[in-house]
Every structure is written in structure tokens, then in C-alpha cells.
Amino acid sequence: MDIATVIGLVAAFGLVVWGIMLGGSLSQFWDAPSAAIVVGGTVAVLLICFPLAKVMGLFKILQKTLFATPQDPSAVIEKMVRYAERARREGMLALEEESEEEPDAFLRKGLRLAVDGTDPQLLEKILETDIGQIESRHKGGKSILDAGGTFAPAFGMIGTLIGLVNMLAALEDPSSIGAGMATALITTFYGAVLANAVFLPLSSKLEVRSAEEILVKEMIIDGIMAIQSGDSPRIVEEKLKSFLSPTQRQLVEDGKQQAA
Amino acid sequence: MDIATVIGLVAAFGLVVWGIMLGGSLSQFWDAPSAAIVVGGTVAVLLICFPLAKVMGLFKILQKTLFATPQDPSAVIEKMVRYAERARREGMLALEEESEEEPDAFLRKGLRLAVDGTDPQLLEKILETDIGQIESRHKGGKSILDAGGTFAPAFGMIGTLIGLVNMLAALEDPSSIGAGMATALITTFYGAVLANAVFLPLSSKLEVRSAEEILVKEMIIDGIMAIQSGDSPRIVEEKLKSFLSPTQRQLVEDGKQQAA
Amino acid sequence: MDIATVIGLVAAFGLVVWGIMLGGSLSQFWDAPSAAIVVGGTVAVLLICFPLAKVMGLFKILQKTLFATPQDPSAVIEKMVRYAERARREGMLALEEESEEEPDAFLRKGLRLAVDGTDPQLLEKILETDIGQIESRHKGGKSILDAGGTFAPAFGMIGTLIGLVNMLAALEDPSSIGAGMATALITTFYGAVLANAVFLPLSSKLEVRSAEEILVKEMIIDGIMAIQSGDSPRIVEEKLKSFLSPTQRQLVEDGKQQAA
Amino acid sequence: MDIATVIGLVAAFGLVVWGIMLGGSLSQFWDAPSAAIVVGGTVAVLLICFPLAKVMGLFKILQKTLFATPQDPSAVIEKMVRYAERARREGMLALEEESEEEPDAFLRKGLRLAVDGTDPQLLEKILETDIGQIESRHKGGKSILDAGGTFAPAFGMIGTLIGLVNMLAALEDPSSIGAGMATALITTFYGAVLANAVFLPLSSKLEVRSAEEILVKEMIIDGIMAIQSGDSPRIVEEKLKSFLSPTQRQLVEDGKQQAA
Amino acid sequence: MDIATVIGLVAAFGLVVWGIMLGGSLSQFWDAPSAAIVVGGTVAVLLICFPLAKVMGLFKILQKTLFATPQDPSAVIEKMVRYAERARREGMLALEEESEEEPDAFLRKGLRLAVDGTDPQLLEKILETDIGQIESRHKGGKSILDAGGTFAPAFGMIGTLIGLVNMLAALEDPSSIGAGMATALITTFYGAVLANAVFLPLSSKLEVRSAEEILVKEMIIDGIMAIQSGDSPRIVEEKLKSFLSPTQRQLVEDGKQQAA
């Protein structure tokens, strides 16, 4: 679970709610028709922008990339080294049963292809194609979030224009100006919060997480190919550690010394 | 028919109309001169921006890409496999009558060229040139929609400035401020709705649909060339399935099992 | 004459004038000092931005690309085929007198070089250099128009700020607020109209026309080189038609059948 | 210590404080809840945008690149020439003790690798990888600062909208309009100052400093490799001076003449 | 002296001053604290953005590129042809004394290197490195001007927010609203004028002039190398004239005929 995303969302909305309650009541800021115009209008426009299936798929992408625990690269290295040791001792076929119990679908598929004796080049191409598909799915999700970040404030402004025109046209009662104006501004407020506390930040996090997920998958491909070519566990580890930053590399080594 | 575009357009305009009627009457938001300034001004500027023929061609492009049913890639694969089977059994010439009944103009042209024994390289070049023309037509259409998304709000603002100056110059009657301001804001409202619920979302959908249409046409070229070179139906299918995402590939296989 | 540009400019200004007269009088929108600040300020800034000679050259570029009739590619093909026929029948030298009567300066230069027996590679280089010069001149013109589209609204805002400060500082007479505000907004109005109905659309049209003009010139180079290398009129036609879109190609063929 | 950054920050904030005190009191501009919404909201959104570790690492990056004294390239050249002289006279092993006392960690690592007789290509690859890591860390820091520059004004606007709606809804007491509006605008003010006097300028300085730091590190790599390959001190100096601008080169030469 | 820059600056500021005096007095627009906040704040932020030395160097760059007379390419060609003639007649060494009297430092350096018999490739590399340094200095200057164009309006807005909050907090005296608001807007006015009449246009001119200066220097390199390789004056002229546009080429030829 990506704890920073949750903390950030709770803190951002908490601060906004707290700011509201300092100077007024929360009920002044809840207006169902305004919410319907901004949220509904943004969703409607996203349906014009993108095919239905892609908009529906956004939640699945967000769930997978933001709320699933990202794989720890050092844990993946450890696992690959263990597989390399077993393959060295008992041969590739010994990995067959391991591959069935492996929880990560991508690694499982790679192991099975390796155990089946798939040609290394073909194996690499198949797994790279899978990564390409994942990457393009993430980019599609990011472009939907970015469009949300553009159209939510636009519908906020459209809602405010509707409120202003209605208020101005009924200006006979000057005492109602304040209330009318307040309601009119609420859609702008909704649009600004939606864009700046939801759509745009999630788009940024999706990009970062996608890069991390793809890095781990690239590590897995390199690891499987090293195991298949009969590299020693030591060399498999060296190869995979070149993917890590110095800090991460330090962590892996500390972990090993602790274990030793 | 692209159902999401229709749903999105209906929902976006429905929400706007509903939002208007909650706090006032629809007639307050209908002002023919304002509509003439924003819509007419945007069209006039598009004529300065682009040659007449390209602006006129926009509707045809939109009709073809947004409201025509996009070709289902798996149906195309099925069809190509059937052609490959027939070509294998009865020779390329057997495809001559098929090619006359083929509803898709691009595939029909490709089949006819293949049946005529056109040199594979020339065949590929001719069909790729056709794709290039389609792509450049789509890009032209997208740039017109994007310009509309820029100039509609600009003319909305110009209309509002006209209304404000007229209202302020006649400020002797303070009771008319509200109504004058309301009318002045209506052009801004029109410009914002036109840009954010029509021009920019249609531009985005046009881009997505264009990419899909071109992918199917690339598949057709690869398929015809595979058939011409005498590939077995099985290999034709494998080649074309590499264009699909894993989900789509699953759908094709499920369809085959069902058929079996 | 580019009829769409004229229609668009007339329609855009006509709509603005009509919109003004619906709610007030045109004289309210004419303020010579405001026009001087916006138009004069924009021109002054363009002189800081670009060398004097380039700003002076803008009108010539606009006149040549926007108000000159663009060459019809199919008419150019017809002409090149006629030259190819004559060169085939009577030899290259027969084109000498033709080249003197050719109205298009670029084609005339090319023919003369070909008649003089210039080495094909040199001929191509000389003509390509000429195209490069034209292209860079057009790009320079476009960047001036784009700068105009940026600085006209900026000077509109500066003018409005001047008007607002003057009005606010003399607020003792509250009845003058309306008129002062109206005058202040007129510079914003001028800046918005200049940018959105003149500078930016002309920049877009200049880009499109420049691409068309260069395409025709590329066709002429290919045609002259084909004639010089002794290609048959039929092959010259085929080579040049590959520059056309399918619709244009159809038009050329229809024209030939009609002539037949 | 980067003196310009400190002067700039002090001057920018000093001018703002001075501007405030000219026309009012500083206490009017201090509003703890407003600060909480803008600063807290921006930090919260940065946590949604980026992984926790990267946001936490920003201060360390800023401290290292902005407040640490950048290495003087001419001092580095002098030092490398001294090492080259010693290596020439007494052999590479003589650098072993030097490398232990070298204060710069990057140069120390490079010297130790050279003394250990590491293969030149491997030595270069190891050090280039370290530079790559530093560069990507700096880019990560810059993207956080840029996001701060985007979201701080956005939360300023959200805070102002909250204040406006609260004020307008309680419009019964017209005498409170001024104060309510003043408070509402304070968040916009905080957002503008944070973005334009902190986030965006620091992002720009980080970029410049990062380029300088990496240039020095590239010089060090070239220098170590020249020393390892046995180049004379004179050639080492010539090679490293090609990294300098003419002004810097002049300074190095002036320094040498003074020393002579 | 770049006359267009001077005319443009004088005209832009003249128009602004004239616009001010039409509707009020100039003294209303002069507010020393406002100027201090906008100009001082912008300079302060530029010091945070860029190293001190680069900000200090901006004026020297502007003076050299904007207010120095740009070299006339045709005069440079004439001079190079004269050198070529002398070198042909009396040998390279005859250029030694010429090189000492040559006013242009870049050409002088090139001649001296050629006279010294420097290897052509080395000569080219040395002079190209000098051009690279000039280009990067110009780019650095342009990025400072662009930052000024961004931060001047930002500090204008910050100043206006300070003024508004001060005014609104002291709203007890309604008669002071106008004057307070007027003062508040003056910083926005300063920021807009600074950005749109100084920073951004100078940045554009710097870019154009830099390209021209570098073109002349490239011509000089080509010319020196042609002279060194013993090309005839006629060929030197032809080579250098390929850098010119057709209009410039015409001017050179007209000049020669006049001289003849």
C-alpha cells in the first residue's frame, strides 16, 4: 500500500475541510447540483475524449499501481538468487514446481518459459512485449488523469458562469447577491480541488510508480536470462544490483550481513 | 457508432441544461446574437486559419472517425485467416471474386492488387501511401478542432468585453447593471462550453480513433502480404495477433473456442 | 486570391461590429488613443524583437503568400508534361524560348538551368537552396505574427491598467466610474481582436500556404530533373502525381478525360 | 556557500516585508490557518505526487547543491596536476596515501580505483554510473520543486475560494466585507510568494548548480584516466583546461604566473 | 548601434507615457516603493535563479549584441577576398602585419593561427570552440531575460496583493478605496511593462542577433580555411556568398559593379 498517497490525500482534504470549518460551516460547501455539474461534466467529457473501455479501466490501473504494494527490488534480487542457486544445483527443471508457486505472475510466466527451454531471444521478446503493453496501459491511464486535470477546472468555471448569470438576471433582490455568488463560486472550488488534489497529483504518482514497476520487470527479465544461461548465483546478483541506486545497494548488503 | 462520444455529449449538455434550470430558466441562457458572435466568430477565424476545403472537410472526417463503427481487430483477423485458407486451397486467383464483395475499401484494394500479382514491395508502398494520406487528413482535422478550442473562448471573451463596455457606458440606469452583466457573460459561457465540451474532447477522440483505424490498416497490409507470400492460415493469424493487447488476444481465443 | 482569408476577415470583423451595434453605438468603441497604445505599442515591441528589415518585409510576405493565388498543382503537372513532350520531340534546346515566356520565376530559372546543360546535382542544389531561403523567410514572418499575437493582448492589458489607475485615482465623481471603466476596457478589447482575428489566424494560414507553395516548388524540381534526364511525358506525370492526395489525383484524371 | 541564493532570498523576502509595512502592519499578513492551508496543502500534494523517500530527500539535495560551496574547477585542475606529477615521479602507488587524505569523496574513490589498477574502461564506467545517479537525483529534486511551483499557487487559490464563499455567505454584516476579503486574499499571496520566491527560483539554481557539479566530476574522470595512462602533468592540464570557458582559463593562467 | 531596438524602446515607453498623460498625470504612476518591489524583487529572484557572475554578465552581453553595430556580412566578404588576394600574391606570411591591424578580434586570432601554420583541423576546432563559448554565453543571457519576463509580472501581482490586503483591511474609510486600489494596481502595471516592453522583446532580439553574429563568425572560419588552403580570391568569394540570402547576394554584386 502506497502510504504517502493515502497520507497526502487525507492531509490535503483534511486541511481543506479544516480551513472551511474555521470560518464557516461545512454544509455551506456542500452543494449536490454543483458537485453533479463538475464531477458529472468532467466524466462526460472524458467519455467524449477516450473510448469507454479505457475510462472504465482507469480505476483498475490506479488500484494496481497506487494501492498495491510496489515490489521491493532487493526482495526480487534475493528471490532470483535463490532460483539461480537451485537451477545450478538441480538443473532448470527443478524450477518447474517453484514456478507454479511463484506469486508474481510476470516472474511465473518467465520461469515457465525458461523451464520449457524457450529460445533466449524469443523469451526476451515475449516478456518485453508484455512490458510494452503495461507501459502503454499506464500512459493511457496518465493521459486520462491529465485530461481530468484540464477539464475539471473548466467545468468548475462553466458552473460558476451559470450561477453568475442566474444571480445577475435576478438582481432585483440585492440581499441575495452574497448567497448567489457564494453558490456560484462553489463549482470553481470543486474544480480546483479535483484537479489539484486528485487528478494531477495521481497522474504524477502513476508516472513514478509505473517507472518503478517497469524497472523491477526489466530486472526480472535480466535475471531469468542469466539463470537460463547458467550464470552463477553470485553473477546473477551482481548483474541485478547494477539496477539499484547506491543507497538501495547498501541496503541489500546490510540485509545480507544481518542474515549472515 | 461510437457510443461513448454520444453518451458523453448528451451527458455534458444535459448536465449544463439541468444546472441552468435549477437556478433560472433556459431562456435566460439563449441569446441569438451572443451565439452568432461566438460560433460565427470562431468559424470566421477558422477560415482565416485554414484553406476553405479543409474546414469543409472537417465534418466528413468527424463523421467517418467518430460516428462510424470502428473495425473490430479480431473480426479483421478472422476475415484475413479465411482469405488465407481460401488462397491456400484454391490459389490467389480464387480471391478475385471475394475481393469484389469485400465491404472494406482498403482491404478490397489490397486484395485486388495482390490478385493482380503486384510486386510485394510496390503493393506495400501503395497501401502505406494511402495510410499516410489518411493520417495527414486526420492530423489536419485535429489541428482545426484544436484551433476551435483556442478561438472559441477568445471570441467568448471578445463578446463579453463588447457587452461590458456597452453596459458601463450606459450606466445611468443602475438597475440595468445586473441584466447587462448577465448578457455580457453569456458569450464567455458559450465559448467555454464550445471549447471544453465540443472542440477539445472531439480532438482527443479523433486522435485515439485515428490511431485505432491506422493500426487495423497496418494489420491488413501485413495480412495481405503474408497471404501473397503463401503463409499458412495459422501463421497469418499468429502474425496479426501480435498487434493485439493481451486482453484482445484472449477475446480472439475465447471466440475460437466458442466456435469450436 | 485566397478567398477564405478575405471571407474570414470580413466575417470576423463584421460580426464584431454587428455585436457592438446591437447594444450600443460603434463610436463608443472607437478611441484613437487606445488604438495608438495597442497598435503602436505592439509595433514598437516588434521592432525591439526583430531587426527593422524583417518587420518591414512582413507585409511583402503576407501579400505574396496570402493574397496571391496559390499555384494549382494539377495545372503545374499539365505544364510540366507539355514541356516534357516538347523536350522529347524537339530536344532540350526547344525549351529555351518557352523558358523565356514562363510566368513563374522559379520554373523559369529551373528551365534555363536545364537548357544550359547544368549538371543535375548542381541544378538540384541551386533550386533547393532557393526553396530553403523561401522557407526561412516564411518562418521569420510567422514568428513576427506569433509575437504580435503575444504582445497585442499584453499592450491591451497595459492600456487597461493605465485607464483603471487614472479612473480610480479620480474617484471623487462616482458617476464617471462607468465611462472610465468602459474606456479602460477598450484597449483589452483591441488587443484581443488584433491577436485572435488578425495575428494568430494569419500566422496559421501563412504556415499552411507556405507548405503548399514549397510542395509545388518541390514538384517543379522533380519535374525539371525528370525532363532533363529524358523521361517520357507519361513517367513525368506519374512522378509528379505522387505528390497529390487521392482527391487531387482524381481531379487531374477527370480533367484529362474531359479534355479527351 | 552560494552567496547569491542567500542574498536573493533575503532581498526578496525583505522587499516583500518592507512593502507590507509601508502601507499596513506585518500582523495583517500573518494568518496561521492560511499558512497551514497553503504550505500544508502543497506538502500534502507533493506526497501524493512523489514517493515519501524522494520528498524527504529534497532537503538533503538542496543543502548539498545550494548551500555547499561549489568546487572551483581551477582548484581541481591544480590538484589533478599535482597528482599527475607525483604519479609520474613515484608511480601510481604513491597516490595511495594521497587518496586517503583527499577530501572529495568522488575523487578519492576514483584515485583508489586507479591505484588498485582497475581496468580503465571499468573505472570510467563505475564513475560514470555514479554521475548518472547524481544527475537523476538532481532531476528528481528539480521535478519536486517544479511541482511545488505549480501547486502552491493552486492551494493559494483554493484557500481564497474558501474565504470568499465563507464571506459571501455571511454577507448580512456589510462592514465585514473588507476584512473577510483581505483574509481570503492572503492565501493567494502566500501561494504566489512561495512559488515565485522559493520553489521556481530554487529549481532554476538547482539546475545550474547540478550542471556545474557534473562538469567538475567529468573533469575528474578525464583527469584520473589521463594520470592512469601515464600522461605528463602538462598534458593533463591541457586536457582539463578544455572544459573551461576562456575567462576561467585566463584565471588559471594568471594564478600560475602569480605562483611563479 | 541597433537602431530598431532604440526606436522600439523609445516608442513603447513614449506611447505608455503619452497614454498616461492623456487621462491623468505622470506622477500618479510613479510610486517609488512599487518600483522597488517589482524591480528589486525581480532582481532578487534572478540572483536566486542564476549564479551572481552570470547575472552581472548580462549587461555586457546586451551591450555587445544589441548596441554594438552588427558586422555587415558583405563587408566581411570583401575583407576576406582582399586577404585572399594578398596571400595569393605575397604568400601567407604577408598576412602577418595585416592580422595585427585587423580590428575584429576573432578574425585577428584566426589569421594569426593561419599565419603560424596551424594544422587546418586544429585551427577549425579552436575557432569552433570559441563560437561554442559565445553561443552558450548568449543562451545564458537569453535564459536570464526570459526568467525576468516570468518573474516581473509575478512580483507585480505580489505587490498588488499586498496593496489590496492593506486597503481592504482599512476599509473603514470608503473614500480611500479608489486611491488604494490605484496604488495596488501600479505594481501590476510595472510588472507588465517590464516583461512586455523590456525583458521578452530584448530576449527575442538577443536570439536574432546571436544567430547573425555566429553566422558571420562561421563565414570567417570558412574564409580563413579557404585562404590557408590556397583558394583563389574568386573561389573564396563564391564560398562565402553561399551564406547570404539572394537579396544580400544582390547587394554584394551591386556594390562590386559600382566599384568597377
Side-chain angles (χ1 to χ4, degrees):
Chain A
M1 169 96 120
D2 184 74
I3 197 72
T5 305
V6 176
I7 292 175
L9 280 168
V10 169
F13 278 90
L15 277 162
V16 167
V17 166
W18 173 73
I20 287 170
M21 290 174 67
L22 273 179
S25 77
L26 207 56
S27 65
Q28 266 163 9
F29 282 80
W30 173 245
D31 186 51
S34 298
I37 288 176
V38 177
V39 176
T42 305
V43 172
V45 163
L46 292 181
L47 287 176
I48 316 182
C49 285
F50 301 98
L52 192 57
K54 283 200 178 151
V55 179
M56 306 288 278
L58 176 63
F59 297 97
K60 215 170 142 193
I61 293 174
L62 286 180
Q63 185 193 320
K64 269 199 190 164
T65 52
L66 300 184
F67 296 103
T69 319
Q71 283 183 290
D72 177 11
S74 46
V76 169
I77 294 183
E78 236 172 84
K79 208 193 276 181
M80 299 303 290
V81 171
R82 219 175 46 236
Y83 286 147
E85 275 162 3
R86 183 126 190 231
R88 261 256 156 138
R89 271 201 323 269
E90 314 171 30
M92 280 305 286
L93 288 178
L95 293 181
E96 186 150 27
E97 70 190 84
E98 297 256 20
S99 79
E100 269 156 37
E101 283 159 28
E102 169 58 45
D104 181 63
F106 185 80
L107 176 47
R108 193 165 59 232
K109 181 177 180 180
L111 283 175
R112 209 174 301 154
L113 286 167
V115 167
D116 290 354
T118 314
D119 172 74
Q121 280 201 323
L122 182 61
L123 183 148
E124 189 177 12
K125 213 197 137 194
I126 290 171
L127 295 179
E128 287 289 1
T129 306
D130 277 17
I131 291 184
Q133 298 279 358
I134 291 167
E135 204 169 4
S136 107
R137 212 156 53 227
H138 288 175
K139 271 193 193 152
K142 186 173 156 51
S143 68
I144 295 176
L145 290 171
D146 288 340
T150 304
F151 288 112
F155 268 83
M157 195 187 77
I158 287 173
T160 295
L161 284 169
I162 293 175
L164 281 179
V165 171
N166 274 336
M167 181 202 79
L168 288 165
L171 209 62
E172 285 123 38
D173 175 13
S175 73
S176 71
I177 295 184
M181 194 98 164
T183 315
L185 283 177
I186 283 178
T187 54
T188 295
F189 170 74
Y190 286 172
V193 171
L194 262 183
N196 292 296
V198 181
F199 284 120
L200 298 175
L202 286 184
S203 162
S204 172
K205 181 64 75 65
L206 177 56
E207 194 174 19
V208 175
R209 281 276 173 257
S210 170
E212 286 176 0
E213 187 180 331
I214 284 163
L215 190 82
V216 169
K217 290 205 167 16
E218 297 280 3
M219 270 175 64
I220 290 176
I221 295 183
D222 270 32
I224 289 174
M225 293 186 71
I227 294 175
Q228 206 189 20
S229 71
D231 282 350
S232 79
R234 169 97 195 117
I235 288 176
V236 169
E237 188 178 351
E238 278 309 309
K239 279 187 175 170
L240 297 189
K241 267 166 60 185
S242 74
F243 282 90
L244 302 181
S245 70
T247 331
Q248 289 176 310
R249 236 174 283 168
Q250 199 54 48
L251 287 175
V252 174
E253 270 151 40
D254 292 357
K256 277 176 63 179
Q257 286 176 347
Q258 228 169 31
Chain B
M1 170 95 121
D2 185 75
I3 198 71
T5 305
V6 176
I7 292 175
L9 280 168
V10 169
F13 278 90
L15 278 162
V16 167
V17 167
W18 174 73
I20 287 171
M21 291 175 65
L22 273 179
S25 76
L26 207 56
S27 64
Q28 267 163 8
F29 281 81
W30 173 246
D31 186 51
S34 299
I37 288 176
V38 178
V39 177
T42 306
V43 172
V45 163
L46 292 181
L47 287 176
I48 315 182
C49 286
F50 301 98
L52 192 59
K54 283 200 180 150
V55 179
M56 306 290 278
L58 177 63
F59 296 97
K60 213 171 142 192
I61 293 173
L62 286 179
Q63 185 193 319
K64 268 200 192 163
T65 52
L66 300 184
F67 296 103
T69 318
Q71 282 183 290
D72 177 11
S74 46
V76 169
I77 294 183
E78 234 173 84
K79 209 193 277 181
M80 300 302 291
V81 171
R82 220 174 46 233
Y83 287 145
E85 275 163 3
R86 184 125 188 231
R88 263 256 155 138
R89 270 201 324 268
E90 314 172 28
M92 279 305 285
L93 288 178
L95 293 182
E96 185 149 27
E97 69 190 85
E98 298 255 19
S99 79
E100 269 156 36
E101 282 159 29
E102 168 58 45
D104 181 63
F106 185 79
L107 176 46
R108 194 166 57 233
K109 181 177 182 180
L111 283 176
R112 209 174 301 155
L113 286 166
V115 168
D116 289 354
T118 314
D119 172 75
Q121 280 200 323
L122 181 60
L123 182 148
E124 189 178 12
K125 212 197 138 194
I126 290 171
L127 295 179
E128 287 289 1
T129 305
D130 276 17
I131 290 184
Q133 298 278 358
I134 291 168
E135 204 170 3
S136 107
R137 212 157 52 226
H138 288 175
K139 271 192 192 153
K142 186 174 155 52
S143 69
I144 295 176
L145 290 171
D146 288 340
T150 304
F151 289 112
F155 269 82
M157 196 187 78
I158 288 172
T160 295
L161 285 168
I162 293 175
L164 281 179
V165 171
N166 274 337
M167 181 202 78
L168 288 165
L171 209 62
E172 286 122 39
D173 175 12
S175 73
S176 72
I177 295 184
M181 194 97 163
T183 315
L185 283 176
I186 282 178
T187 54
T188 295
F189 170 75
Y190 286 171
V193 170
L194 262 184
N196 292 297
V198 181
F199 284 120
L200 299 176
L202 286 184
S203 162
S204 171
K205 180 65 73 65
L206 177 56
E207 194 174 19
V208 175
R209 280 276 172 258
S210 171
E212 286 176 1
E213 187 180 332
I214 285 163
L215 189 83
V216 169
K217 290 206 169 11
E218 296 280 3
M219 270 175 64
I220 289 176
I221 296 183
D222 271 31
I224 289 174
M225 294 187 71
I227 293 175
Q228 206 189 20
S229 71
D231 281 350
S232 79
R234 168 100 195 116
I235 288 177
V236 169
E237 188 177 350
E238 278 310 308
K239 279 187 174 170
L240 298 188
K241 269 165 60 184
S242 75
F243 282 91
L244 301 181
S245 71
T247 330
Q248 290 176 308
R249 234 175 285 168
Q250 199 54 49
L251 286 176
V252 174
E253 270 151 40
D254 292 357
K256 277 175 63 179
Q257 286 175 346
Q258 230 169 29
Chain C
M1 170 95 121
D2 185 75
I3 197 71
T5 306
V6 177
I7 292 176
L9 280 168
V10 169
F13 278 90
L15 278 162
V16 166
V17 168
W18 174 72
I20 287 171
M21 291 176 65
L22 272 179
S25 76
L26 207 55
S27 66
Q28 267 163 7
F29 281 81
W30 173 246
D31 187 49
S34 299
I37 288 176
V38 178
V39 177
T42 305
V43 172
V45 163
L46 292 181
L47 287 176
I48 316 180
C49 286
F50 301 98
L52 193 58
K54 283 202 180 150
V55 179
M56 306 288 278
L58 176 63
F59 297 98
K60 213 170 142 193
I61 293 173
L62 286 180
Q63 186 194 319
K64 267 201 193 163
T65 52
L66 300 184
F67 296 103
T69 319
Q71 283 183 289
D72 177 10
S74 46
V76 169
I77 294 183
E78 237 172 83
K79 209 193 278 181
M80 301 301 291
V81 171
R82 221 174 45 234
Y83 287 145
E85 275 163 4
R86 186 129 187 226
R88 264 255 155 138
R89 270 200 324 269
E90 314 172 29
M92 279 305 284
L93 289 178
L95 293 182
E96 186 149 26
E97 70 190 85
E98 297 255 20
S99 79
E100 269 156 37
E101 283 159 29
E102 169 57 45
D104 181 63
F106 185 79
L107 177 46
R108 193 166 58 233
K109 181 177 182 181
L111 283 176
R112 211 175 299 155
L113 285 166
V115 169
D116 290 353
T118 315
D119 172 75
Q121 280 200 324
L122 182 60
L123 183 148
E124 189 178 12
K125 213 197 138 194
I126 291 171
L127 296 179
E128 286 289 1
T129 306
D130 276 17
I131 291 184
Q133 298 279 359
I134 291 168
E135 204 169 4
S136 107
R137 212 157 54 225
H138 288 175
K139 271 192 193 152
K142 186 175 155 51
S143 71
I144 296 176
L145 290 171
D146 287 341
T150 304
F151 289 112
F155 268 82
M157 196 186 79
I158 288 173
T160 295
L161 285 167
I162 293 176
L164 280 179
V165 170
N166 274 337
M167 181 201 79
L168 289 164
L171 208 62
E172 286 122 38
D173 175 12
S175 73
S176 71
I177 295 184
M181 194 99 163
T183 315
L185 283 177
I186 282 178
T187 54
T188 294
F189 170 75
Y190 286 171
V193 170
L194 262 183
N196 292 295
V198 181
F199 284 120
L200 298 176
L202 285 183
S203 162
S204 171
K205 180 64 75 65
L206 177 55
E207 194 175 20
V208 174
R209 281 276 171 257
S210 170
E212 286 176 2
E213 188 180 330
I214 285 163
L215 189 83
V216 169
K217 291 207 170 7
E218 297 280 3
M219 269 175 64
I220 289 176
I221 296 182
D222 270 32
I224 289 174
M225 294 187 70
I227 293 174
Q228 206 189 20
S229 71
D231 282 349
S232 79
R234 168 99 195 116
I235 286 176
V236 169
E237 187 177 352
E238 279 309 309
K239 278 187 175 170
L240 298 188
K241 268 165 63 186
S242 75
F243 282 91
L244 302 181
S245 71
T247 330
Q248 290 175 309
R249 236 174 283 170
Q250 198 56 48
L251 286 175
V252 174
E253 271 153 39
D254 292 357
K256 278 175 62 178
Q257 285 176 346
Q258 230 168 30
Chain D
M1 169 96 120
D2 184 75
I3 197 72
T5 305
V6 177
I7 293 175
L9 280 168
V10 169
F13 278 91
L15 277 163
V16 166
V17 166
W18 174 73
I20 286 170
M21 291 175 66
L22 272 180
S25 77
L26 208 56
S27 66
Q28 267 163 7
F29 282 80
W30 174 245
D31 187 51
S34 298
I37 287 177
V38 177
V39 177
T42 305
V43 172
V45 163
L46 292 181
L47 287 176
I48 315 182
C49 286
F50 302 97
L52 192 58
K54 285 202 178 149
V55 179
M56 306 288 278
L58 176 63
F59 296 97
K60 213 170 143 193
I61 293 173
L62 286 180
Q63 185 194 319
K64 269 201 191 164
T65 52
L66 300 184
F67 296 103
T69 319
Q71 283 183 290
D72 177 11
S74 45
V76 170
I77 292 183
E78 236 173 84
K79 207 193 278 181
M80 299 303 291
V81 170
R82 219 174 46 235
Y83 287 146
E85 275 163 3
R86 183 124 191 232
R88 263 257 157 135
R89 270 200 324 270
E90 312 172 30
M92 280 305 285
L93 288 178
L95 294 181
E96 187 150 26
E97 70 189 81
E98 298 256 19
S99 80
E100 268 156 37
E101 283 159 28
E102 167 59 44
D104 181 64
F106 185 80
L107 176 47
R108 193 165 59 234
K109 181 176 181 180
L111 283 175
R112 209 174 302 154
L113 285 166
V115 168
D116 290 354
T118 314
D119 172 75
Q121 281 200 324
L122 182 59
L123 182 146
E124 188 178 13
K125 212 195 138 194
I126 290 171
L127 295 179
E128 287 289 0
T129 306
D130 277 17
I131 292 185
Q133 298 278 358
I134 291 167
E135 203 169 4
S136 106
R137 211 157 54 227
H138 288 175
K139 272 193 194 151
K142 186 174 155 52
S143 69
I144 295 176
L145 291 171
D146 287 340
T150 305
F151 289 113
F155 268 83
M157 195 186 78
I158 288 172
T160 295
L161 285 168
I162 293 175
L164 281 179
V165 170
N166 274 337
M167 181 202 77
L168 288 164
L171 209 62
E172 285 123 38
D173 176 11
S175 73
S176 72
I177 295 184
M181 194 97 164
T183 316
L185 283 176
I186 283 178
T187 55
T188 294
F189 170 75
Y190 286 171
V193 171
L194 263 184
N196 292 296
V198 181
F199 283 121
L200 298 176
L202 286 183
S203 163
S204 171
K205 180 65 74 63
L206 177 55
E207 195 175 18
V208 174
R209 281 275 172 259
S210 170
E212 286 176 0
E213 186 180 332
I214 284 163
L215 190 82
V216 170
K217 291 207 168 11
E218 297 280 3
M219 270 175 63
I220 290 177
I221 296 183
D222 270 32
I224 289 174
M225 293 186 70
I227 294 174
Q228 205 189 21
S229 71
D231 282 350
S232 79
R234 167 100 195 116
I235 288 176
V236 169
E237 188 177 351
E238 279 308 309
K239 278 187 175 170
L240 298 189
K241 267 167 59 186
S242 74
F243 282 91
L244 301 181
S245 71
T247 330
Q248 290 176 310
R249 236 174 283 169
Q250 198 54 49
L251 287 175
V252 174
E253 270 150 41
D254 291 357
K256 278 176 61 178
Q257 286 175 346
Q258 229 167 32
Chain E
M1 169 96 119
D2 185 74
I3 197 72
T5 305
V6 177
I7 293 175
L9 280 168
V10 169
F13 278 91
L15 277 163
V16 166
V17 167
W18 173 73
I20 286 171
M21 291 176 66
L22 272 180
S25 76
L26 208 55
S27 65
Q28 266 163 9
F29 282 80
W30 174 247
D31 187 51
S34 298
I37 288 177
V38 178
V39 177
T42 305
V43 171
V45 163
L46 292 181
L47 287 176
I48 315 181
C49 287
F50 301 98
L52 193 58
K54 285 203 178 148
V55 179
M56 306 289 277
L58 176 62
F59 296 97
K60 213 170 143 194
I61 293 174
L62 286 180
Q63 187 193 318
K64 268 200 192 163
T65 52
L66 299 184
F67 296 104
T69 319
Q71 283 183 290
D72 178 11
S74 44
V76 170
I77 293 184
E78 237 172 84
K79 208 192 279 180
M80 300 303 289
V81 171
R82 220 174 46 234
Y83 286 146
E85 276 163 3
R86 184 129 187 226
R88 264 255 156 138
R89 270 200 323 268
E90 314 171 28
M92 279 306 285
L93 288 178
L95 294 182
E96 187 150 27
E97 70 190 83
E98 297 257 19
S99 79
E100 268 156 37
E101 283 158 30
E102 168 58 45
D104 181 64
F106 185 80
L107 176 47
R108 194 166 57 234
K109 181 176 182 182
L111 284 175
R112 208 173 301 154
L113 285 166
V115 168
D116 291 354
T118 314
D119 173 74
Q121 280 200 323
L122 182 59
L123 182 147
E124 189 178 12
K125 213 196 138 194
I126 290 171
L127 295 179
E128 287 289 0
T129 306
D130 277 17
I131 291 184
Q133 298 279 359
I134 292 168
E135 203 169 4
S136 106
R137 211 157 54 226
H138 288 176
K139 271 192 194 152
K142 186 174 155 53
S143 70
I144 295 176
L145 290 172
D146 288 340
T150 304
F151 288 113
F155 268 83
M157 194 186 79
I158 288 172
T160 295
L161 285 168
I162 293 175
L164 281 180
V165 170
N166 274 337
M167 181 202 77
L168 289 165
L171 209 62
E172 285 123 38
D173 176 12
S175 73
S176 71
I177 295 184
M181 194 97 163
T183 315
L185 283 176
I186 282 178
T187 54
T188 295
F189 170 76
Y190 287 170
V193 170
L194 263 184
N196 292 297
V198 181
F199 284 121
L200 299 176
L202 285 184
S203 162
S204 172
K205 181 64 74 64
L206 177 56
E207 194 175 20
V208 174
R209 281 275 172 258
S210 170
E212 286 176 1
E213 187 180 332
I214 285 163
L215 189 82
V216 169
K217 291 207 168 10
E218 296 280 3
M219 270 175 64
I220 290 177
I221 296 184
D222 271 32
I224 289 173
M225 294 186 72
I227 294 175
Q228 205 188 21
S229 72
D231 281 350
S232 79
R234 168 99 195 117
I235 287 176
V236 169
E237 187 177 352
E238 280 308 309
K239 277 187 176 171
L240 298 188
K241 267 166 61 186
S242 74
F243 282 91
L244 301 181
S245 70
T247 330
Q248 289 175 310
R249 235 174 283 170
Q250 198 55 48
L251 287 175
V252 174
E253 271 152 41
D254 292 356
K256 278 176 60 179
Q257 285 176 346
Q258 230 167 30

